[in-house]
Every structure is written in structure tokens, then in C-alpha cells.
């Protein structure tokens, strides 16, 4: 195989090579200009100081881009994800192959070698040919699948295609297939040894020979196809920044910035309010640099909308449409704003905004923004880390600042400000839930090791109070040295922040942090995932740093340490008798899904749990997050009603939850359909098993 090789520019003269390099440099110049132009527009956004983290970047690129794992997730997008992965991996290998050819070509110039291949020969060349033929094939198959999919009329698709998309996908397909034509013509022209190594190209060579192509007439055909292939590639490169392909650059850069943790929000300062006279996003330039970048990172694949519980419930919210509609609006007004700032003329910027449609109302309706539960499903499924949730919550901040919220949701915010809880009930009643339980407080037990954060729901809602009762019984049974804040606790402000009332949240947080500091609180357990998220992610922004655990985490640890023991005879093992609903703010946003299952299996047996299709990070929202708990929807309009059906379809006798909001929504939803299924918090299930264990122990002692 020593003679196995090929000419890099066979049949291509000196003039063609010069023209080739002129076209190549021109297309690259257009590409660089296009990226530079977009970056200048991204810089219209606010600088939030987000930096590049090398280790996080590499991890994100491997886990989200190179693995194509996120692209292949999602029930509705699995086939599209598979073919996208084929096209991606094929493209990457073909790009590497092209780079190797370039190294071979320029190596001659660098080392002054003429008329001989440096390394593009022999065994290496054989492996090269087989590899590129194989990956070129899967790339072309992927492109063909998307082209056929786009051409199908009447099919339901969450992607809104642009005219340029048809050119792009067609170009991707033709570039791949014309590469095989070139290979076939080269095999005929050079009479390449071992042509079967290039098995796809060789099969096309047989077709060309059948059509009358011979060594005598192949030169002109090869020359024409070579230039056609080259011009299409150059057009493709030049079009990159001006088409949907921009997502490759913007998405990669978006991943390079430190990934915003799910459930994390950037605070707004009083100084910022005084400087701008507003809070949140009124116009596109009020978004951050990263948010504007993420508009171009969005490829409009529709995964976010497919995962959105509000969309599923028929609400006027599609995360895909929110991002794309804002992007289109940004493209319309950003060049005008850029020119105004370049000329340092504020009146031109104001004029540009006045003549364009309003971001609020004309582009994005208020009802669309209020439909979001902030469950983060959209962000979770996005391969390129686009966060529609951050866009929505920042726009909500402006609506709240302008007083554009009314009815029960607005009343709940007013009650938090007035009474420290969304029910507006007296602070003096805050400890009534513990009557008769002898619950220790920070005053009665100043040497406590862990604080049990009760939350507003368990404080005032009679049904949720049973959860607090169960947790207290379990902590006492395990001998935990704990305390509660009693009447000094108030709302964390979590739902206020997600609804957009940033300064009400900050007021609540500062009050709570002051109280926690007074009692030197270090460790906190809470049964509410929303309180968990706020205490662990929001409060550190204002100096409140604590070791925060969900009650399922803490109780699971007690069982593993043998501090909570359940008698084998106390286990209810009926096989599939319990199904579990993962709360969004517990599983998806805080990554806690194993501990609740451990508790269920401990209390009800290994075979008791009947999983639903959407579980863990892919759980579906109950509909109460993001302040939706306080919206007065009719039962048939509630977000999460399809989740109820999904849980009931398991035929389980008990629906287990681990969130007070979920408990409320699931109880109402299940009760509307059947009275044969109970909805219980995991702590209640565990407490029942412990009670049975205690009774068994008592009977055993009497018998002895």
C-alpha cells in the first residue's frame, strides 16, 4: 500500500487555485464580519459580569455539544435528535479531514517538499478514506432526513422554518453528496488503487461509468463539479452569521460563559433603580449581554415548547415563540439603537424605540409572561443553555414595577408585605400549627443543631400542617436536636421574586437573614422545595449562607445512619401501590430525586413504587410555581391537569409528593376525578410506617 495516495489538486490549474484562495479568503472575511457585527449588537445589552470558566466550559461542551446527549433527549424529538447527531458527528469528522488535507498541502510549503505527499499516503490514507466515506455518509443521511422532513406538508412541527432554512439544509445535503461525486470522478480520472476503500465514492464511480464517463472525458466533468462543490461550500461559510447557523457560534459562546444554575436569579440593586428609573426589562437593550447572545444561540428546535407545561395546558405561552419573537424584534431595533449610541444621540435611540413595536404588549403579551410556572423545563432541555425563564422573569419585574398586576396574585404580594405571608393572616398565629406537639423553638432550645424551616403553607394551611406534624414526629423519634423560629419566621419571598417583585423579596430576605443571624443558624431543613431553593440560592446573594437540606434528604440520611428504623412487618408492600410526583424545584432545579424514592422504598417496600413516564428531571409541573399558586384559574384551565391523569393512569392507591404546593394542586386535581386515591407527603407515609413500628415494638414488649 506504499503507493496508495492521491493528488490534492489533481486537474486544477494554477489560475483555478488562485481563484480558489480568493474565494476562500472572501468567504472567511464575510464570516468574520458577520460574527463581529452580531457581537456589536449583543454588546447593547447590560454587562452582568458573567465570565468564562474554562473547566465549566469544557464540561458543558463535552456533555451538551460533543455528546449530543441533550439534543437526543425528549420523547417528541428523539428521531430529530438522532439525525441531528448523525449530521453533527459526520460534519465534525469531515471538518477534521479537511483540516488534515490543509496540513498536508501547507506542509509542502513549510518544509519545501515538492511532488510527494508528506503523510497523506499508505495505511494512513487507507484509514482516512474509509473513515471519511463512513462519516460523510451518516452526515448526508442526516441532512437528507431533515430536508425530507421540511418538505412534508401538513405535518405538525414546533419549528417555524425560515426561507433561508431550505437553502441551508439543501446546501448541507448537496455539499455532502457532491463530495462523493468528486471522489467518484477522481477515482475514474486517477484510476486510484484499492478504490473499494472509498466504498461510497466507488459505488458512484460505477454509476458514472454506466452513464458514459471515461478517463477520456472525465476532466471537464470533474473540473465543473469541483468548482460547483467549492462555490457552494464558500457560500455556506459566508452565510453562517446571517442564518440560523449562527446558533453554532452563539450557542458555543453561550456555553462558554458560566452556566447559570437552575433557579438562580440575578439581583437588582436600588442603585440600578435610581440610575435607570425602572426595574427589569422594558426594551431589548435592558436585557443582559448574555440574554441577547442567547437569542442567537436559539436554533428554534421547539424542545422548550414541547416540554412547557403551560403550553401543554393551552396557556398563551410558548418559550420557543417568546425567544424567537424577541429575536425578530431585536433584529429590527438593534441596528437603530447601535447607530444612535455610536453617534451619542439619546434622542435617536428614543426615536428608534418609539417608532418600533413595544416589547411589552406588541411583541410579548402580559398574559404570556404570567403563564410561566418557572419550572425550568425549557432551560433543562435546551442543548445550548438558552433560558426563556430568565427572559420571562426579567420582563415580569418591569410589569410589577409598573403596577401591571391585579387580582389575587397582586393581593398575595400585598399580604406578604403587610403580614409576612401570602394569606395575610396574623403573625401571632404563626406558631398555632404546633399546638400540643411540644415543638422546640430557638428560644426554648438555644443549643439546637439544625433549624426546621416551616414555611407559610404548613403554618396556615390545615392540610399542609399535617406535613409539619409528621416531620416533627420523625425528628423527635430520631432524637434530632432541632428548633423552629416560631412566630419570628416569615415568608422567604421566593414566589414574590419569581413573580417579579424583586424588592419585596429583598425586604423579606433581609428580615429573615437578620433573624437567622441573631440565632446563629448554620443548618436548615425544610419540606418546601421553593423555600429550599430560595434559602440556598437567593439568600447567599445577600449574605445568608446556610447548609440547606430538603426534608427527604435529611430523613434519608437518618435512615442510612440507623437513627430512624422501620420494622420489616411495618412495610406496606402491595406492588405498585404508590406513585411519586417529582416537584420541579426539587428534582429538576435542585437535583434531588433519589432520596424521596429511598424513603418510599423504605416505608412501603421495594416494589411499592410505580414510576410515571415523566419523572426525575423530566417531571411535569403541578402548575403552582412562579406565583401561579395565587392565580385563580378554573379547574379545566389549570396547568398540571394532564399530570393528574398521568399519575392516575399508574393505578396506584397513593400519590406521594414532597412539596406543599404540589400537595395542594395534586389533592385538588385528584379529588376532582376520584375518591379512591390519596395524596400524601412522603414524610406522612414515613411517619405512618414509624407509628406501625412503634406499635409493633410495644406489642412485642408486652408479649415478653
Amino acid at each position: 500500500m506504499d503507493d496508495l495516495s492521491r493528488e490534492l489538486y489533481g486537474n486544477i490549474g494554477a489560475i483555478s487555485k488562485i481563484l480558489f484562495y480568493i474565494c476562500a479568503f472572501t468567504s472567511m472575511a464575510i464570516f468574520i464580519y458577520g460574527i463581529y457585527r452580531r457581537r456589536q449588537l449583543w454588546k447593547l445589552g447590560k454587562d452582568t459580569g458573567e465570565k468564562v470558566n474554562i473547566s465549566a466550559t469544557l464540561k458543558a461542551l463535552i456533555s451538551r455539544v460533543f455528546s449530543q446527549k441533550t439534543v437526543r433527549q425528549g420523547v417528541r424529538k428523539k428521531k430529530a435528535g438522532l439525525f441531528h447527531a448523525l449530521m453533527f458527528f459526520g460534519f465534525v469528522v469531515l471538518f477534521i479531514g479537511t483540516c488534515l488535507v490543509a496540513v498536508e498541502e501547507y506542509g509542502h510549503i513549510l518544509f519545501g517538499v515538492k511532488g510527494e505527499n508528506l503523510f497523506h499516503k499508505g495505511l494512513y490514507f487507507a484509514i482516512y478514506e474509509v473513515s471519511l466515506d463512513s462519516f460523510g455518509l451518516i452526515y448526508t443521511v442526516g441532512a437528507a432526513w431533515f430536508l425530507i422532513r421540511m418538505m412534508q406538508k401538513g405535518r405538525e412541527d414546533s419549528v417555524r422554518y425560515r426561507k433561508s432554512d431550505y437553502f441551508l439544509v439543501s446546501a448541507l445535503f448537496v455539499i455532502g453528496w457532491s463530495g462523493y461525486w468528486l471522489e467518484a470522478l477522481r477515482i475514474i480520472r486517477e484510476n486510484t488503487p484499492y478504490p473499494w476503500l472509498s466504498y461510497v465514492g466507488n459505488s458512484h464511480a460505477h454509476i458514472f461509468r454506466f452513464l458514459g464517463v471515461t478517463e477520456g472525458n472525465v476532466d471537464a466533468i470533474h473540473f465543473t463539479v469541483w468548482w460547483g462543490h467549492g462555490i457552494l461550500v464558500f457560500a455556506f461559510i459566508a452565510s453562517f452569521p446571517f442564518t440560523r447557523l449562527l446558533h453554532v457560534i452563539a450557542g458555543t459562546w453561550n456555553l462558554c460563559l458560566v452556566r447559570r444554575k437552575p433557579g438562580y436569579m440575578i439581583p437588582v440593586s436600588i442603585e440600578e433603580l435610581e440610575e435607570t428609573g425602572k426595574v427589569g426589562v422594558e426594551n431589548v437593550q435592558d436585557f443582559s449581554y448574555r440574554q441577547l447572545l442567547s437569542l442567537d444561540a436559539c436554533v428554534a428546535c421547539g424542545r422548550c415548547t414541547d416540554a412547557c407545561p403551560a403550553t401543554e395546558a393551552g396557556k398563551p405561552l410558548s418559550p420557543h415563540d417568546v425567544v424567537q419573537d424577541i429575536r425578530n424584534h431585536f433584529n429590527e431595533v438593534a441596528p437603530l439603537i447601535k447607530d444612535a449610541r455610536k453617534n451619542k444621540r439619546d434622542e435617536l435611540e428614543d426615536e428608534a424605540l418609539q417608532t418600533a413595536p413595544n416589547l411589552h404588549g406588541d411583541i410579548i403579551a402580559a398574559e404570556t409572561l404570567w403563564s410561566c410556572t418557572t419550572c425550568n423545563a425549557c432551560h433543562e432541555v435546551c442543548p445550548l443553555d438558552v433560558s426563556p425563564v430568565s427572559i420571562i422573569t426579567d420582563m415580569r419585574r418591569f410589569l410589577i414595577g409598573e403596577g401591571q398586576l391585579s387580582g389575587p396574585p397582586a393581593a398575595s404580594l400585598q399580604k406578604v408585605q403587610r403580614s409576612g405571608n401570602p394569606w395575610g393572616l396574623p403573625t401571632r398565629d404563626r406558631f398555632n400549627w404546633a399546638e400540643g406537639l411540644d415543638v422546640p423553638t430557638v428560644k426554648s432550645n438555644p443549643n439546637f443543631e439544625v433549624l426546621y424551616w416551616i414555611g407559610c403553607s404548613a403554618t396556615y394551611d390545615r392540610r399542609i400542617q399535617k406535613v409539619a406534624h409528621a416531620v416533627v414526629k420523625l425528628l423527635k423519634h430520631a432524637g434530632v436536636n432541632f428548633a423552629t423560629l416560631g412566630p419570628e419566621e416569615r415568608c422567604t419571598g421566593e414566589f414574590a421574586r419569581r413573580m417579579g417583585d424583586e424588592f419585596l423579596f429583598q425586604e423579606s430576605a433581609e428580615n429573615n437573614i437578620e433573624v437567622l443571624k441573631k440565632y446563629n443558624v448554620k443548618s436548615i431543613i425544610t419540606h418546601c422545595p421553593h423555600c429550599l431553593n430560595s434559602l440556598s440560592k437567593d439568600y447567599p446573594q445577600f449574605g445568608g449562607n446556610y447548609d440547606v437540606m430538603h426534608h427527604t434528604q435529611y430523613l434519608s440520611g437518618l435512615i442510612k445512619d440507623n437513627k430512624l428504623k422501620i420494622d420489616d412487618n411495618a412495610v406496606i408492600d402491595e406492588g405498585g401501590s404508590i406513585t411519586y410526583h417529582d416537584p420541579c424545584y426539587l428534582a429538576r432545579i435542585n437535583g434531588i430525586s433519589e432520596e424521596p424514592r429511598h424513603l418510599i422504598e423504605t416505608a412501603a417496600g421495594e416494589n411499592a413504587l410505580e414510576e410515571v413516564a415523566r419523572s426525575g428531571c423530566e417531571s411535569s409541573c403541578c402548575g403552582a410555581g412562579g406565583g401561579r399558586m395565587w392565580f385563580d384559574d378554573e379547574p379545566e384551565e389549570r396547568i398540571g391537569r394532564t399530570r393528574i391523569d398521568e399519575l392516575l393512569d399508574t393505578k396506584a392507591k397513593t400519590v406521594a409528593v414532597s412539596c406543599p404546593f404540589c400537595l395542594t394542586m395534586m389533592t385538588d386535581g385528584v379529588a376532582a376525578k376520584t375518591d379512591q386515591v390519596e395524596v400524601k407527603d412522603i414524610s406522612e407515609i414515613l411517619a405512618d410506617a414509624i407509628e406501625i413500628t412503634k406499635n409493633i415494638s410495644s406489642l412485642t414488649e408486652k408479649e415478653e
Side-chain angles (χ1 to χ4, degrees):
M1 301 178 69
D2 292 342
D3 296 332
L4 182 59
S5 184
R6 70 176 175 89
E7 292 183 72
L8 297 183
Y9 282 100
N11 197 37
I12 306 301
I15 294 176
S16 288
K17 287 182 69 173
I18 292 171
L19 291 174
F20 174 85
Y21 282 115
I22 290 173
C23 291
F25 285 119
T26 300
S27 64
M28 286 302 299
I30 295 172
F31 173 89
I32 293 170
Y33 165 75
I35 298 298
Y36 170 79
R37 170 178 166 272
R38 290 308 294 184
R39 185 173 182 274
Q40 293 303 107
L41 297 182
W42 298 336
K43 289 170 69 176
L44 295 176
K46 297 183 295 184
D47 181 10
T48 55
E50 292 177 283
K51 304 297 182 183
V52 173
N53 182 308
I54 301 299
S55 62
T57 296
L58 292 175
K59 183 178 179 181
L61 288 174
I62 292 170
S63 64
R64 288 181 163 255
V65 177
F66 296 128
S67 73
Q68 292 285 287
K69 180 181 177 181
T70 315
V71 174
R72 291 181 281 112
Q73 287 177 341
V75 175
R76 302 182 188 179
K77 297 289 185 180
K78 281 188 176 179
K79 189 179 290 186
L82 171 63
F83 283 98
H84 185 280
L86 292 179
M87 196 161 59
F88 173 81
F89 291 129
F91 184 89
V92 168
V93 173
L94 291 175
F95 177 75
I96 293 172
T98 303
C99 291
L100 289 172
V101 170
V103 171
E104 169 73 29
E105 170 66 13
Y106 305 130
H108 282 81
I109 300 173
L110 183 63
F111 297 109
V113 179
K114 296 183 179 180
E116 180 182 339
N117 285 315
L118 295 177
F119 60 85
H120 207 64
K121 58 186 176 180
L123 181 60
Y124 159 82
F125 181 76
I127 296 172
Y128 177 93
E129 289 293 281
V130 173
S131 299
L132 263 68
D133 256 40
S134 300
F135 280 94
L137 183 61
I138 66 172
Y139 157 83
T140 308
V141 168
W145 185 86
F146 278 104
L147 186 60
I148 294 170
R149 183 173 183 250
M150 290 174 63
M151 297 299 182
Q152 290 177 344
K153 293 182 179 180
R155 73 180 302 277
E156 185 180 347
D157 200 326
S158 52
V159 180
R160 289 188 300 184
Y161 295 114
R162 308 169 193 160
K163 291 181 180 179
S164 61
D165 294 340
Y166 294 92
F167 160 75
L168 288 176
V169 180
S170 299
L172 285 167
F173 173 74
V174 175
I175 286 172
W177 217 250
S178 62
Y180 287 123
W181 298 344
L182 274 176
E183 188 174 53
L185 295 168
R186 184 256 302 167
I187 289 172
I188 295 173
R189 181 180 175 277
E190 298 179 9
N191 196 19
T192 305
Y194 306 107
W196 47 267
L197 290 171
S198 308
Y199 60 96
V200 182
N202 191 46
S203 65
H204 283 70
H206 288 302
I207 296 173
F208 278 122
R209 288 191 180 101
F210 176 78
L211 295 174
V213 178
T214 65
E215 291 183 35
N217 61 15
V218 70
D219 283 0
I221 301 172
H222 175 268
F223 184 81
T224 303
V225 173
W226 188 89
W227 266 114
H229 178 81
I231 290 171
L232 189 56
V233 169
F234 297 142
F236 181 77
I237 293 171
S239 69
F240 232 85
F242 307 97
T243 62
R244 205 189 291 267
L245 285 173
L246 180 62
H247 83 276
V248 176
I249 306 299
T252 302
W253 180 240
N254 194 43
L255 287 170
C256 287
L257 297 173
V258 177
R259 187 166 191 255
R260 182 177 295 171
K261 295 179 181 178
Y264 175 88
M265 292 182 65
I266 295 176
V268 178
S269 65
I270 294 293
E271 292 75 20
E272 184 178 342
L273 174 62
E274 292 173 348
E275 180 183 344
T276 62
K278 61 186 174 184
V279 60
V281 171
E282 178 185 13
N283 301 303
V284 286
Q285 69 269 34
D286 297 326
F287 285 117
S288 69
Y289 168 89
R290 181 168 191 169
Q291 286 172 321
L292 295 181
L293 167 69
S294 71
L295 297 179
D296 283 332
C298 176
V299 71
C301 66
R303 279 176 172 76
C304 53
T305 293
D306 289 343
C308 179
T311 304
E312 185 179 53
K315 297 292 182 183
L317 169 62
S318 162
H320 163 278
D321 289 353
V322 167
V323 174
Q324 289 298 308
D325 289 345
I326 294 175
R327 182 184 185 276
N328 293 336
H329 177 63
F330 176 60
N331 285 340
E332 180 180 351
V333 302
L336 302 176
I337 297 171
K338 178 177 172 290
D339 290 341
R341 290 189 182 181
K342 183 178 180 180
N343 296 316
K344 297 182 180 181
R345 296 180 63 182
D346 294 339
E347 69 276 9
L348 290 179
E349 184 171 336
D350 294 336
E351 183 181 340
L353 293 173
Q354 289 171 2
T355 57
N358 293 319
L359 177 62
H360 284 275
D362 295 334
I363 305 301
I364 306 295
E367 188 180 4
T368 297
L369 300 175
W370 296 126
S371 295
C372 179
T373 68
T374 69
C375 72
N376 232 70
C378 54
H379 188 193
E380 176 70 23
V381 299
C382 181
L384 296 174
D385 202 31
V386 178
S387 176
V389 174
S390 72
I391 291 172
I392 289 170
T393 51
D394 279 350
M395 292 183 69
R396 280 180 171 184
R397 283 170 165 171
F398 176 76
L399 293 180
I400 290 289
E402 295 295 301
Q404 296 185 37
L405 180 66
S406 59
S412 68
L413 294 173
Q414 294 168 0
K415 290 172 182 176
V416 169
Q417 189 168 35
R418 185 176 64 248
S419 306
N421 67 84
W423 281 272
L425 296 172
T427 302
R428 64 176 179 272
D429 296 340
R430 188 128 202 155
F431 202 48
N432 288 357
W433 68 271
E435 188 175 346
L437 291 177
D438 190 25
V439 178
T441 66
V442 288
K443 289 184 177 179
S444 65
N445 181 27
N447 297 318
F448 64 92
E449 294 177 357
V450 62
L451 180 82
Y452 176 28
W453 186 275
I454 309 303
C456 298
S457 294
T459 298
Y460 296 109
D461 187 305
R462 290 187 180 275
R463 173 62 188 93
I464 312 300
Q465 285 175 359
K466 294 179 180 179
V467 177
H469 295 168
V471 174
V472 166
K473 289 177 182 177
L474 291 167
L475 293 177
K476 284 188 170 185
H477 183 72
V480 176
N481 182 13
F482 75 100
T484 63
L485 286 177
E488 293 187 76
E489 182 183 298
R490 61 179 289 146
C491 181
T492 60
E494 185 275 341
F495 89 92
R497 191 176 213 195
R498 269 81 199 160
M499 285 181 73
D501 200 333
E502 174 69 13
F503 294 114
L504 174 57
F505 158 74
Q506 290 189 20
E507 180 185 344
S508 299
E510 288 167 2
N511 288 334
N512 282 325
I513 289 171
E514 194 63 34
V515 172
L516 294 170
K517 182 180 179 181
K518 181 171 68 172
Y519 294 108
N520 196 30
V521 174
K522 302 295 183 185
S523 298
I524 302 175
I525 57 172
T526 176
H527 57 253
C528 178
H530 296 268
C531 293
L532 169 81
N533 188 74
S534 200
L535 290 167
S536 62
K537 294 180 181 174
D538 294 336
Y539 278 42
Q541 297 174 349
F542 304 94
N545 296 287
Y546 317 104
D547 179 18
V548 189
M549 289 170 285
H550 190 250
H551 73 310
T552 57
Q553 289 178 293
Y554 195 80
L555 294 172
S556 179
L558 292 176
I559 288 174
K560 290 177 180 177
D561 292 339
N562 290 320
K563 293 180 179 179
L564 270 181
K565 296 181 181 180
I566 297 178
D567 192 286
D568 290 340
N569 295 319
V571 171
I572 308 167
D573 187 359
E574 299 183 9
S577 63
I578 297 177
T579 189
Y580 175 59
H581 164 72
D582 285 281
C584 300
Y585 269 75
L586 190 65
R588 181 180 301 113
I589 294 177
N590 284 285
I592 303 169
S593 59
E594 293 304 318
E595 291 88 342
R597 287 167 171 78
H598 173 238
L599 294 180
I600 292 173
E601 291 174 355
T602 301
E606 293 183 1
N607 299 319
L609 183 61
E610 183 68 33
E611 292 280 13
V612 289
R614 293 184 289 182
S615 61
C617 289
E618 295 184 3
S619 180
S620 182
C621 186
C622 74
R628 291 293 311 180
M629 178 77 176
W630 313 107
F631 282 73
D632 194 16
D633 289 344
E634 295 296 326
E636 65 275 7
E637 297 176 353
R638 289 178 184 172
I639 298 170
R641 61 182 186 274
T642 55
R643 181 61 167 178
I644 301 294
D645 295 333
E646 192 174 16
L647 293 164
L648 293 177
D649 285 344
T650 65
K651 307 300 180 184
K653 297 178 181 179
T654 303
V655 174
V657 298
S658 51
C659 169
F661 286 178
C662 294
L663 182 56
T664 298
M665 303 301 281
M666 294 297 164
T667 299
D668 292 347
V670 169
K673 293 178 177 291
T674 179
D675 58 0
Q676 302 298 310
V677 177
E678 279 190 292
V679 181
K680 302 177 77 171
D681 187 87
I682 288 178
S683 62
E684 296 178 286
I685 297 171
L686 190 62
D688 289 343
I690 292 290
E691 193 64 35
I692 294 172
T693 296
K694 288 167 65 177
N695 293 336
I696 291 172
S697 299
S698 178
L699 288 172
T700 302
E701 289 174 3
K702 287 181 180 179
E703 288 174 358
E704 291 177 350

